[in-house]
Amino acid sequence: AGQVAVKAFVKAFAPGEARLILKTNTLSQDWRPYPAPFETVNTITSQDKRWRDVDWRKHIEIRSTILSRTDLFKLYEEIDVFVSTSHGEGFCLPGMEAKLAGRRVVATDSGGVREFIQDGDLLVSGKLGGCAWARMYGWPENSLWYHFEVDEIAAALRASTMLQAPREFCWQ
């Protein structure tokens, strides 16, 4: 889901228009089933003509530390929009916490986010399909998850800026 968030951000914004804080829990090379976050962002930005010659670290920040509750809420205070690009989500507690902190939410419609979405928040619809990584996660092979179009998520990110100019985005 982190790859989707970065791809959508790079499509939605030129360097300098907004910042993305990518919150992860690990920087190991075993960021399953994806490559490490730095490698992922390098690859994605190098494939976009607007980002290719830009030092992306000035616009996309990767935070990998495990945060205390206090630090987590400080992070919510830093952002304007919380972004969740989950392929399958239960309740999406981080999204709810961001709402409690007064932040807008852009989320894929993949679970419980409908319970707290309000005016000013944006849901991106997807299609239910097979999960290529089910076995890696120990899930049944017939597991399903939602598939989303990166362009639709990018459009939602861009639309969220029309409500109030965001300073930073956060994906967790």
Side-chain angles (χ1 to χ4, degrees), residues 1 3-4 32-35 87 130-141 143 145-147:
Q3 285 183 332
V4 174
R32 59 174 205 176
Y34 309 109
H87 293 283
C131 175
W133 297 290
R135 193 177 304 172
M136 181 178 289
Y137 284 113
W139 300 338
E141 288 190 38
S143 294
W145 71 354
Y146 283 91
H147 299 271

Side-chain angles (χ1 to χ4, degrees), residues 41-55:
V41 176
N42 272 330
T43 300
I44 293 168
T45 55
S46 70
Q47 295 170 350
D48 185 281
K49 65 182 178 184
R50 297 179 306 169
W51 286 84
R52 165 175 317 142
D53 299 322
V54 173
D55 181 1

Side-chain angles (χ1 to χ4, degrees), residues 116-163:
F116 56 84
I117 289 295
Q118 300 172 347
D119 290 341
D121 299 325
L122 297 167
L123 279 179
V124 178
S125 297
K127 294 181 181 161
L128 199 57
C131 175
W133 297 290
R135 193 177 304 172
M136 181 178 289
Y137 284 113
W139 300 338
E141 288 190 38
N142 60 348
S143 294
L144 299 174
W145 71 354
Y146 283 91
H147 299 271
F148 303 95
E149 296 296 325
V150 170
D151 289 342
E152 290 180 25
I153 297 169
L157 290 177
R158 190 48 122 163
S160 73
T161 67
M162 303 304 170
L163 303 170

Side-chain angles (χ1 to χ4, degrees), residues 55-143:
D55 181 1
W56 61 262
R57 290 169 292 203
K58 293 179 181 176
H59 311 284
I60 301 172
E61 179 183 348
I62 298 172
R63 294 190 188 175
S64 63
T65 56
I66 296 174
L67 300 176
S68 67
R69 299 299 296 164
T70 300
D71 289 339
L72 181 61
F73 281 95
K74 285 180 183 175
L75 174 61
Y76 292 140
E77 290 174 5
E78 286 183 54
I79 65 170
D80 293 306
V81 179
F82 176 86
V83 183
S84 173
T85 55
S86 179
H87 293 283
E89 192 66 55
F91 182 69
C92 190
L93 183 59
M96 180 62 180
E97 292 170 338
K99 286 303 304 173
L100 289 172
R103 303 305 177 239
R104 289 189 310 279
V105 173
V106 171
T108 50
D109 190 5
S110 62
V113 295
R114 286 181 175 211
E115 297 297 323
F116 56 84
I117 289 295
Q118 300 172 347
D119 290 341
D121 299 325
L122 297 167
L123 279 179
V124 178
S125 297
K127 294 181 181 161
L128 199 57
C131 175
W133 297 290
R135 193 177 304 172
M136 181 178 289
Y137 284 113
W139 300 338
E141 288 190 38
N142 60 348
S143 294

